[in-house]
Amino acid sequence: MSSNVVLKMNSFLLLLITFSALAKFSSASPRILALVKTNPTILKYHKGALLNGNITINLIWYGKFTPSQRSIIIDFIQSLNHHVAPPPSVSSWWRTTANYVGGPRTPTLGKQILDQNYSLGKSLNETHIAALASKLGVGPRVNFINFVLTDANVAVEDFCMNRCGTHGYTRGKKGKYSAYAWVGNSGRQCPGLCAWPFAKPIVGPQTKPLVAPNGDVGVDGMVINLATVLAGTVTNPFDGGYFQGPATAPLEAVSACTGIFGSGAFPGYPGKVLVDKVSGASYNAQGVNRRKYLLPTMWDPKTTTCKPLL
Ligand SMILES: *[C@@H]1O[C@H](CO)[C@@H](O)[C@H](O)[C@H]1NC(C)=O
Ligand SMILES: *[C@@H]1O[C@H](CO)[C@@H](O)[C@H](O)[C@H]1NC(C)=O
Ligand SMILES: *[C@@H]1O[C@H](CO)[C@@H](O)[C@H](O)[C@H]1NC(C)=O
């Protein structure tokens, strides 16, 4: 078993701290922004397998999720593959994964399991996550991801310390690997870390939280992390894909762009996003069923930049 800790917040927090320390010298602020921006992001391809073509996403809902919470996440997954107008859309966000080796990738929703009675308790570690993921089985093809989603009552080792989600893999028959992933609802535990910018950040400049696009800070935050982990799993499923830094704590497709939701972002400011005139909700991507989502920026191998949707 191997696990990639994604959403390492350390470098982001460091930037925040650096920023707030330097921001005292107000005349220097514009230069600080430039400094942050010029840090080049290059994800190296390590020549290993990626997940390509049709990719099945299986879900295990661990704990209590209301039907409306589940539909926010299910609609997001369905939106990856469905063109909706006008842009920007979830599917246009996802299309950047086609620029990674292996070409277009088509995710579809597969199996779902409800585990409402916390079969392994409310305090989990990596072994538990892998065990829950394995309940979704292996296959039918190599290209699947077994996703564990934990509710707001579940503590997961290192959740809210330095991670909001992870992905890893297990070795199966004939040396084949299968990918799994986990994301938790941080609503009651650390929204300022894992549901930012829908909650006040735990450190750094105290900007006003944005209104969550589906009215659920915890689950809208899960979508951000699901998007991050999903892109990381597809482009670095077995440690040999695209990443920067050490394989044990890599920066991947989206985690390399942490904190950027729109153009002009800097630590503490998510960047330019759209605002729904009626609800006041912030978003940058439309999905099926008139859904709106706020998606993190993905690194684009074509331009070698973190290029926001807006
Ligand atoms: C992906 O699925 C579609 C529709 O189910 C099918 O037509 C296509 O051949 C599949 N592609 C691959 C690469 O398996
Ligand atoms: C979960 O627990 C509740 C209450 O204890 C019980 O009524 C229900 O049958 C259980 N469900 C499953 C799937 O075990
Ligand atoms: C997770 O906890 C179980 C006991 O509940 C333990 O047997 C297992 O070794 C732990 N795994 C890790 C990776 O710490």
Side-chain angles (χ1 to χ4, degrees):
M1 185 177 70
S2 163
S3 170
N4 280 329
V5 176
V6 296
L7 301 177
K8 271 273 190 191
M9 303 302 279
N10 297 355
S11 57
F12 177 53
L13 294 183
L14 199 66
L15 280 178
L16 279 176
I17 291 157
T18 310
F19 181 76
S20 39
L22 293 177
K24 285 187 194 122
F25 309 100
S26 57
S27 66
S29 293
R31 279 192 198 160
I32 294 160
L33 302 188
L35 257 179
V36 170
K37 260 190 156 167
T38 53
N39 197 2
T41 308
I42 303 290
L43 301 191
K44 190 171 166 248
Y45 176 44
H46 294 76
K47 310 288 181 209
L50 309 186
L51 298 186
N52 306 329
N54 292 333
I55 299 166
T56 305
I57 299 173
N58 301 311
L59 303 176
I60 178 162
W61 302 90
Y62 190 79
K64 314 237 183 290
F65 288 90
T66 64
S68 77
Q69 289 181 319
R70 293 205 300 268
S71 68
I72 294 169
I73 288 177
I74 288 168
D75 284 348
F76 166 68
I77 292 170
Q78 308 276 24
S79 300
L80 292 165
N81 189 16
H82 283 89
H83 176 75
V84 293
S89 66
V90 174
S91 61
S92 61
W93 174 81
W94 180 254
R95 258 199 305 280
T96 298
T97 63
N99 296 343
Y100 287 72
V101 163
R105 297 170 158 87
T106 310
T108 48
L109 184 62
K111 213 186 290 184
Q112 293 185 62
I113 296 178
L114 300 184
D115 186 339
Q116 294 178 293
N117 284 355
Y118 307 98
S119 63
L120 299 181
K122 291 186 185 171
S123 182
L124 308 180
N125 64 22
E126 196 57 39
T127 311
H128 298 124
I129 297 293
L132 289 172
S134 72
K135 291 189 178 189
L136 288 159
V138 289
R141 295 172 299 273
V142 182
N143 287 341
F144 65 92
I145 304 169
N146 288 345
F147 232 110
V148 180
L149 303 166
T150 52
D151 82 5
N153 302 312
V154 177
V156 177
E157 194 174 24
D158 289 339
F159 186 29
C160 294
M161 300 297 288
N162 58 6
R163 63 182 183 175
C164 309
T166 54
H167 69 88
Y169 58 90
T170 50
R171 194 188 279 269
K173 281 192 209 119
K174 297 181 184 167
K176 289 239 192 250
Y177 294 135
S178 59
Y180 70 89
W182 156 73
V183 160
N185 182 335
S186 68
R188 286 191 204 131
Q189 297 177 54
C190 61
L193 184 67
C194 295
W196 184 83
F198 307 132
K200 275 185 187 252
I202 51 162
V203 295
Q206 294 297 300
T207 46
K208 200 170 155 231
L210 304 184
V211 177
N214 298 287
D216 188 323
V217 167
V219 176
D220 276 308
M222 283 180 91
V223 170
I224 293 173
N225 300 318
L226 183 67
T228 306
V229 171
L230 193 56
T233 307
V234 164
T235 58
N236 185 33
F238 313 120
D239 289 346
Y242 286 82
F243 61 88
Q244 185 186 57
T248 48
L251 289 176
E252 299 177 323
V254 172
S255 56
C257 306
T258 292
I260 303 170
F261 291 86
S263 55
F266 56 82
Y269 171 62
K272 184 186 157 194
V273 297
L274 300 171
V275 176
D276 184 282
K277 286 196 181 64
V278 178
S279 66
S282 290
Y283 69 100
N284 61 7
Q286 316 222 58
V288 298
N289 296 330
R290 298 172 169 269
R291 287 282 185 195
K292 293 180 165 69
Y293 296 101
L294 186 66
L295 299 184
T297 297
M298 199 187 309
W299 184 76
D300 186 349
K302 256 191 191 160
T303 58
T304 66
T305 57
C306 291
K307 189 160 164 280
L309 282 163
L310 294 166

